[in-house]
Amino acid sequence: MPSSDALIVVEDWISEHFFTTDATKASFHKHVLDRRKEWDAAEHPTTRSRFTADRSGIASRIAELYPWPPNPDDIQRTELADLYADLRSILDYRPGALHVTSTGPAHRVTTPGVEGSRGLVIIDALPVASEDELFVKAADSLLTPWEPEGEAPITNTARLVSKLLIADNGPEFALVMAGRMMAITDAGRWPEGRYLVVDLQTVADRNDYKKGGEIDVALTCLDAQSLAPDPDSQIWWSSVL
């Protein structure tokens, strides 16, 4: 797929050419086409079928968040938490095949029954309007404070990502949900300021549903099949990177 302003590679988190070329071999496009083939062949609901069925609703719910904050009360934060929970379900981050443990705004996703599974953390952040606002270091940017027992509360998204990714046996990857913006990073690249951003509202609004189009690329980036650990605690994105 050609370069898209809804899919932003920051500081070469992934090779720009590999990510955007429409070549059907040795490219991210090839991975996307393979995933689309799996989705089309599935006899059960998939990330793609759930997203396309609720695409207009997702776009509307995200759009209603802006400008943020119009009146940042508890009701709006509850609605935002509900939206994030629905997005996790659409993207297939559901308990059962995965072990999900939540501490405030952080949802740790690991392989059930596997000791030492590093997995993924999904972080609920307040909405931002652009990728430049995602990791502002001075902002109280988490949906709720992260308050593990015996530790000082953390209210900043960038600080929490750093805290979790550098911890012993911390998660290998992080997915940050910040309104319309979804950000993916990993323990090795995060200290260098490298990550990938998906503008989910733009993707939903454009509705580029053709094979290998913007929807397929965005969902391949965000899907649990890509970011959650498999039964062997391996993460698809690790091999792709």
Side-chain angles (χ1 to χ4, degrees), residues 25 165 179:
K25 293 183 179 180
L165 290 186

Side-chain angles (χ1 to χ4, degrees), residues 51 56 86 116 124-125 134 210:
F51 180 84
S56 61
D86 289 345
D124 297 341
L134 270 165
K210 67 178 179 291

Side-chain angles (χ1 to χ4, degrees), residues 9-10 16 22 26 92 101 117 163 171 192 206:
V9 179
V10 178
E16 191 84 38
D22 58 3
D92 216 21
T101 304
S117 173
K163 171 78 173 178
E192 301 169 349
R206 285 178 178 160

